[in-house]
Every structure is written in C-alpha cells, then in structure tokens.
Amino acid sequence: MTTSNDLMELKEDRIREKYPLAEAMLAGFDHTPRIAAKSQPDVVQERSPGLGTRRRFRSTTPGLVTRSTARPEGVQLSVRILECDDDPLTTPSQASVLRALRRAIAVAHVASDQFAEQTELADLKRSNLAGTLDASRKDRFQQLLSASALISLHVFANMTDFLLSGLVGTTEEATVQSGEVEEILLDNDQLALHGILWELDQEIAAAQVETDSQLIDLITSFCEQLMEKVALRAENSLVLHPFSQSRYRVEADDFEITGFTPAARARTASLSMAFKKPEEVVGNHIAKYQAMKLAKMLMAYDFEHKLNPFAELGGFIFTFMGDGKPGTGKTTLIQMMAGLINDYCANAGYPFRYQNLSTESIDSYQGKSAQNAKAFIKTVTDPNVIGFGTIDDIDQLAGKRGDRQSSAGQLEITAVLMESFAGANTVVRGNCTFGMFSNYPENVDDALRQRAGARFLVDGPQTREDYIDILHLLMGKNHAIPVGDHDLFEAQAIKKAVAASYDRHSRPQEDALAKVFDEVQAKTGPLDTIAKMGAYLKAIQEADERFTGRAIKNITDAIKVRAMDFELPDEWMENPDLFLFKDYATKKSMIADLAQPITVDMVIQEINRYADSEFRYADKSDEAAIDNAVRDMQRMEEAKRRFMEASRS
C-alpha cells in the first residue's frame, strides 16, 4: 500500500530498538500511585510446594474476590495477563495481547522521541542532564515534557486499541468495562506510561477477568477512555501543534497516527436503522436528488490521501439544513441517505459510521453538553471512516443566543456546532457530512443556521401524482384495489422532477423576495452579468440585514455543487475497481471530466433558493416574536386586572 506525501514513517528499526525497554516495563517496575486509589490486597492463600503458579481457585460466590489486586513486588503486567484464566499454558490471545502492548509501548516511545526532535525538547533534555539548563527555560522544559507525556499516552492507547480491534472474532457486546482512568501523570513520558500501566494492571485484577474475550474488552475499554481524557487535555495546547498537525505511519501494521484522532474507531458499528430506498421517498425532489448525489460524493474520499476530490474541486456539501412542516419526510430522507451510504460502503469494504446528536446530549452539568457535542463531531469527522452525522430537531437541541428559554446546555451545543462547522480550525476532508433538520428553522440561531452550506426544503408530496404515489406506497400489497388512470411513480422520475423544481426558482417563491427581484430587474434589466447579480444581492441585504457575506459563500458553494450536477455512475459504486479503488489523482481527473460550466440560470436559481429560505425563516421568526410579545402583553394586562381587583377588595 502506498503512502501519501504528507505521511512521515516511523522507522521499523527505531521501533524495535525500544523493544527491550517495553519488555522490561511489562515484566515489572515499581510505582507509587499519586491520583488513583490503590486497590487493597486480599490475603494470598498459601500453596503447597510443587504446585503450578498459574492455576488457582476461583470462587463461585458473586462479588467475592479471592486474589490480590496489588503485588508487593511491584507491577508485573505480563504475569497479570497470563493469570487471567486457569490454563497453565499461554493462550494465543494472551500472547497477542502482550505483543500488542509491547509494540504500542515501543511506538509511543518513538513518537515522543520524534516530538522531542521536532521541538527544542531534545536540546533541553541534554542541557538538563548536563546540569546547564537555564532557570528561565525550566517552565518551557516542563511544558514540553508534559506534551511529550500526552503524546506517549495517546499513541500507546491508540495503537493498543488498533491492534486489538480485530483480535477476537466475536459479535458479542463488551462483557467487561474498565473503570474511570485516573492515573494520568504528565511529569514525563516514562512516568506517564508507568502510571497508566500500573492502573491497567489494577483494572485487570479488580475485574476478575476469566476469558480472553473479557481481557480484550477490558483493555480496549481502558484505552478508549484514556484516549478521550488525553485528547481533552491536549485540546487547547499550542505546544502540541508539531504533533497534532503531523501524520505518522507505522508501515508494518498499516497504522496511522493523525494527531489525537483514534485510529481503531474505523470499525463499523452495525446500524439498526430501517433504511429506505429512493423510490420510497415521494416528493422532496431537490432534497432527494441532492442527498443521492452527496451519498456518492462521500464515496470518492481517498483514505490514503485523506481528502476527497470534490472537496478540492468544489461542490462538496459539508453541512446542510433540511426544513419543512411535520410529516413531510425528513426522517425518511435521513433513512434513505444513510441506507445508500451504508450499502456503498459495504460493497467497497469501507468503514461507515452514522451518529445522531439527540436531546439526550443536553446535560445539566456545566460543560458536559459541550463535551457530548464535541464527542459527536469527533466521531463523525474521524478521517479513517465515511461519516454521516445528523442533528434532528436542531431547534430543540441548540439554543438561540439571546433567547431566555435557551438553557446553558443548549447554548454550549450551539457554540460547539458553530465552531466545528465553520470555525478557524475546521478542516473539510470530504469524508463526512452533517445534516441539520428542523420543523421550525426560524428558532435556530441565525449564525448557526447560516453555517449550513446547502438548504433542502423538505416539503413532502405536492402534486396530485405525488399523493397517489404515496397512498399506493403506504397501503402495501394486501389489497386488490386498482390504481386507475395513473402511471405509478412517473412523477418521481428524478431528473425530470429536479429540472422542474430548479426552474421554479428562476423567480423567487417568497413574496417579499419577489418584490426585491422585480425592483432590481426594473432598474437593471435581466440579471445576466456579475454586476447586475451583485446589485441584486445588495438589494436583498438591504431588505434583510441578516443576509451577510456568509450567505454569499453558501450561495457560491451551492453554485459549485450545480456545476457538479451529475451523479457518479452506479457502476462505479457497484464495481469499486472502476473508480473507488483508483488513486487520488485519477479520481480527481475522472470527476473533473464530468463537470459542467456555470451558467447564469444556475446562479439566479441558487440565489433565489437560498434567499427564499432566509426570507421564509425571517418571516416565521418575526411572527413567532410578535406572537410571544402579544402573549406577554396579554399576561401583563390580566395581571394588572387581577391586581386591581385584589386591591379593591
């Protein structure tokens, strides 16, 4: 497998040089815990001379611990792992676990050494050993040592989890979960690894692991917790930029280190969603067409290059908003798109991850809601998977700034989503997309709503033909009622329906926008030049001050999508060798060949489509505000009346 140019390889000979150190750490070392509480040892039962040391009596009484969890002779993690069952022989899985831990410790040391060489840490270490470290540089020295410790911990946990991810061929749920990881020490990388290996030893002992599957479940659970905690601590550290902005590869294991992003999470979780086929979505022609195109766009992502040609050429939809009345088909649209991506990924052997941010993410504890939202974003944006994230009923989940009804948790989620969708550190690789859905988009914060690069009006069935089609579809087959004078699903022919839908936007749909459109055309004539279209945009801004520069960016992004107004051929999805498995440059060239030039009609239609949605939201938002103000006035009048009556009595 070839590597992309921005990958730096961690040399195999340097990794193997660290094996003796890693083996020594697994064999035994002394550690006095500083943060985590030490488990209390139980009475160790005496053994008769000549008896093996691996077999032991295991109580059948639930909750009764019959072995020590702490060793007086220090931490001996390799022995602890070998004692995880009653078999005196080492099992293949135990051997694999020990090899994975040795490999992960060695790679963690090499990664921290690489960081030291990239920064001044290596020089500071030499000065410190020689006793010549200047006092003014001690703070910087400790900052870099702490950064090196975080790198060692994350790489160790990341690679251990990666190597163990496919070790046991079982589909069972994890039977053993690790407790909270606490012994995270940041004095230096060596002490950090000592602390975490000590705690892993304690966890294995306390859990009374009895099978290889339980052992692996426990270790992977421990590693995933450790990665999350380390990533949170590393989040705002500028010292770590040389590591977090670089990518490393261990060729022999096909393992990549991408900052503090977990690699083993590329495992696909099984979805229990009821998928829908495109023909089961009636109406919503533009929304359906865009969703079908976007599902195929995601599949163009190149896992080696960590980039999608569509993201480079233009036309990739990173965020979109679907709005419409209740019952118009938003959930069906989600089910259709997730089903298409799931099937495409299954055929190509790509890992797919779908996740929904629900109202359960809102927490009363300060900061917890933000953590939940960040975890959602990180899960979907993992560059090792194809991701699809949805935020259903976003008006309930994300708070509107300035709205007294918004809770602190809702406002935290709003802040995270705004930063993640169009923040200074937002990187669009083209491996994932986020859909925000709402019945009441006017209740969504203006700035967050404008971070939706595309707008899907989910208006459900509209025509007589649509209603006949949906009635026939939902009634099923348990009847003999004739269809009558109607060609079933002829109105759902996607190309024909989409063309008609786009044509409708050659003129604005909202009355307020249509007035602006007519006034500009009366002054300038047909909007057939950049100057005239710019004048139209300025007139829209004068009518609605919320129509800002971000709106123009979203419109131009939508125009680029129209320039890519083609579906990748089904054959490319069905036979991955035709396109999906090509190298990045070839895929980019194949896509560029399908692009079409931007036309005046495209620009006018996309301006109207976007502006229509903003005027629609503004009208509803204003009406909602007026209704609330009227209710407040009515309540105040009633309160005054009751107060006067009480005063007279």
Side-chain angles (χ1 to χ4, degrees):
M1 187 178 291
T2 59
T3 59
S4 59
N5 295 331
D6 61 341
L7 276 172
M8 292 182 285
E9 185 178 352
L10 297 182
K11 300 296 184 182
E12 186 65 23
D13 55 351
R14 293 190 63 183
I15 295 172
R16 291 184 176 274
E17 285 175 4
K18 301 291 185 181
Y19 274 10
L21 175 60
E23 289 164 357
M25 293 177 70
L26 292 173
F29 60 88
D30 292 324
H31 178 75
T32 302
R34 280 203 239 155
I35 301 173
K38 184 175 180 179
S39 301
Q40 295 298 319
D42 300 303
V43 178
V44 180
Q45 297 184 2
E46 295 184 1
R47 300 179 184 273
S48 299
L51 288 182
T53 59
R54 293 287 311 284
R55 291 188 176 274
R56 63 187 181 279
F57 170 74
R58 191 181 297 280
S59 171
T60 57
T61 305
L64 179 61
V65 180
T66 59
R67 68 182 187 278
S68 169
T69 61
R71 299 177 186 277
E73 64 273 26
V75 181
Q76 297 179 8
L77 187 56
S78 58
V79 176
R80 181 77 74 190
I81 288 170
L82 296 176
E83 287 183 346
C84 284
D85 61 19
D86 292 323
D87 190 339
L89 297 178
T90 302
T91 68
S93 291
Q94 289 170 349
S96 296
V97 167
L98 288 172
R99 289 174 67 88
L101 290 171
R102 180 185 68 172
R103 184 82 172 162
I105 293 170
V107 171
H109 277 295
V110 173
S112 62
D113 288 349
Q114 186 85 9
F115 174 74
E117 293 167 7
Q118 287 179 294
T119 61
E120 67 265 40
L121 179 57
D123 292 336
L124 292 173
K125 281 183 175 181
R126 284 189 285 267
S127 298
N128 187 56
L129 286 173
T132 59
L133 181 65
D134 190 88
S136 63
R137 305 183 73 191
K138 285 186 177 180
D139 286 344
R140 176 66 174 175
F141 182 41
Q142 189 54 57
Q143 286 179 353
L144 290 169
L145 283 176
S146 297
S148 179
L150 287 170
I151 291 169
S152 293
L153 290 175
H154 197 277
V155 171
F156 163 73
N158 195 4
M159 190 164 196
T160 302
D161 192 31
F162 177 84
L163 294 175
L164 297 184
S165 61
L167 192 55
V168 175
T170 176
T171 57
E172 298 175 1
E173 293 291 327
T175 55
V176 178
Q177 292 288 325
S178 165
E180 185 177 2
V181 178
E182 297 176 323
E183 192 72 359
I184 298 178
L185 308 177
L186 302 181
D187 301 57
N188 56 63
D189 52 353
Q190 182 82 351
L191 184 61
L193 288 172
H194 277 182
I196 218 63
L197 291 174
W198 170 86
E199 189 163 12
L200 179 58
D201 175 79
Q202 296 281 291
E203 286 291 335
I204 294 172
Q208 299 192 66
V209 170
E210 299 185 1
T211 66
D212 291 343
S213 179
Q214 290 178 340
L215 174 66
I216 293 168
D217 284 344
L218 177 68
I219 295 175
T220 54
S221 170
F222 181 88
C223 288
E224 286 169 3
Q225 276 202 60
L226 176 58
M227 283 189 283
E228 288 180 8
K229 289 207 166 188
V230 169
L232 282 174
R233 294 196 184 197
E235 202 163 61
N236 298 315
S237 174
L238 297 177
V239 180
L240 284 161
H241 273 196
F243 173 76
S244 59
Q245 300 302 314
S246 302
R247 292 173 56 216
Y248 304 92
R249 181 179 179 82
V250 180
E251 185 69 27
D253 302 294
D254 194 19
F255 171 68
E256 292 183 12
I257 302 171
T258 309
F260 292 91
T261 301
R265 290 187 179 178
R267 292 170 288 184
T268 301
S270 58
L271 294 178
S272 57
M273 180 185 295
F275 296 137
K276 300 291 185 183
K277 299 294 183 183
E279 56 268 21
E280 295 179 88
V281 179
V282 176
N284 299 322
H285 301 301
I286 290 181
K288 180 167 72 170
Y289 181 57
Q290 295 276 38
M292 291 169 64
K293 278 182 27 180
L294 183 52
K296 289 183 178 179
M297 279 185 183
L298 286 169
M299 298 304 297
Y301 178 70
D302 189 276
F303 282 90
E304 291 297 327
H305 207 75
K306 292 292 188 289
L307 187 63
N308 192 319
F310 281 104
E312 185 177 350
L313 293 170
F316 183 79
I317 300 173
F318 181 55
T319 53
F320 63 92
M321 173 167 279
D323 72 280
K325 297 176 182 177
T328 50
K330 290 182 292 297
T331 301
T332 305
L333 199 67
I334 293 172
Q335 293 170 326
M336 182 203 77
M337 188 169 170
L340 288 174
I341 303 172
N342 182 73
D343 291 347
Y344 294 154
C345 286
N347 188 51
Y350 290 171
F352 169 52
R353 185 174 304 136
Y354 167 78
Q355 190 153 348
N356 180 60
L357 186 66
S358 66
T359 51
E360 294 176 357
S361 301
I362 302 173
D363 201 287
S364 57
Y365 288 99
Q366 184 175 3
K368 183 63 176 174
S369 300
Q371 287 184 16
N372 292 339
K374 286 181 180 179
F376 162 74
I377 296 293
K378 286 182 179 179
T379 298
V380 177
T381 56
D382 182 350
N384 299 299
V385 303
I386 301 296
F388 179 31
T390 56
I391 311 164
D392 209 358
D393 294 323
I394 189 171
D395 52 285
Q396 297 182 29
L397 190 67
K400 193 172 185 178
R401 293 169 299 174
D403 185 351
R404 290 174 295 177
Q405 303 300 318
S406 296
S407 68
Q410 289 174 308
L411 294 175
E412 287 177 15
I413 290 176
T414 299
V416 170
L417 295 181
M418 287 175 59
E419 178 187 9
S420 302
F421 291 163
N425 296 320
T426 301
V427 177
V428 179
R429 298 181 181 274
N431 69 305
C432 64
T433 187
F434 291 90
M436 299 178 279
F437 296 87
S438 176
N439 295 326
Y440 305 100
E442 66 275 7
N443 293 334
V444 179
D445 188 272
D446 290 342
L448 176 57
R449 190 177 67 239
Q450 289 174 3
R451 278 163 167 75
R455 307 295 176 87
F456 297 170
L457 175 58
V458 186
D459 51 3
Q462 295 291 306
T463 65
R464 166 185 172 275
E465 288 74 18
D466 287 344
Y467 276 92
I468 296 172
D469 288 341
I470 196 170
L471 176 63
H472 180 272
L473 181 67
L474 297 179
M475 281 184 63
K477 297 181 180 180
N478 190 26
H479 66 86
I481 303 174
V483 173
D485 184 18
H486 175 72
D487 292 328
L488 279 173
F489 303 112
E490 176 68 22
Q492 312 311 318
I494 194 70
K495 291 287 186 183
K496 178 181 175 183
V498 166
S501 295
Y502 278 133
D503 285 343
R504 283 201 299 272
H505 290 285
S506 296
R507 178 173 175 79
Q509 304 293 299
E510 296 293 315
D511 292 340
L513 182 61
K515 182 179 178 182
V516 175
F517 182 79
D518 291 338
E519 288 175 353
V520 172
Q521 277 205 323
K523 293 178 182 177
T524 66
L527 305 180
D528 52 8
T529 67
I530 296 290
K532 292 178 181 179
M533 288 184 280
Y536 179 35
L537 291 171
K538 173 58 179 173
I540 296 173
Q541 185 270 331
E542 290 174 351
D544 184 354
E545 62 182 11
R546 287 170 287 197
F547 197 81
T548 61
R550 186 178 297 280
I552 311 305
K553 180 185 182 303
N554 290 337
I555 290 169
T556 55
D557 285 346
I559 293 168
K560 293 173 185 176
V561 172
R562 290 287 298 279
M564 297 289 181
D565 196 11
F566 55 83
E567 271 193 274
L568 298 179
D570 290 334
E571 295 78 17
W572 292 6
M573 302 296 116
E574 295 165 2
N575 185 354
D577 290 326
L578 295 177
F579 174 75
L580 300 182
F581 294 167
K582 300 285 188 184
D583 62 87
Y584 180 83
T586 302
K587 285 193 283 191
K588 180 180 174 182
S589 176
M590 293 171 71
I591 290 170
D593 289 342
L594 294 174
Q596 57 181 318
I598 294 172
T599 66
V600 170
D601 287 342
M602 284 185 192
V603 178
I604 297 300
Q605 288 168 3
E606 291 308 320
I607 292 175
N608 288 337
R609 274 210 324 133
Y610 189 93
D612 269 334
S613 66
E614 281 300 306
F615 273 72
R616 186 169 64 250
Y617 302 154
D619 288 346
K620 291 181 179 178
S621 181
D622 291 344
E623 284 300 318
I626 291 169
D627 289 342
N628 289 334
V630 169
R631 281 195 294 271
D632 289 342
M633 292 178 183
Q634 289 173 338
R635 283 195 291 266
M636 183 59 68
E637 288 298 320
E638 179 63 18
K640 287 180 180 178
R641 186 186 65 79
R642 294 184 185 181
F643 177 77
M644 294 301 295
E645 288 181 354
S647 298
R648 287 194 293 269
S649 61

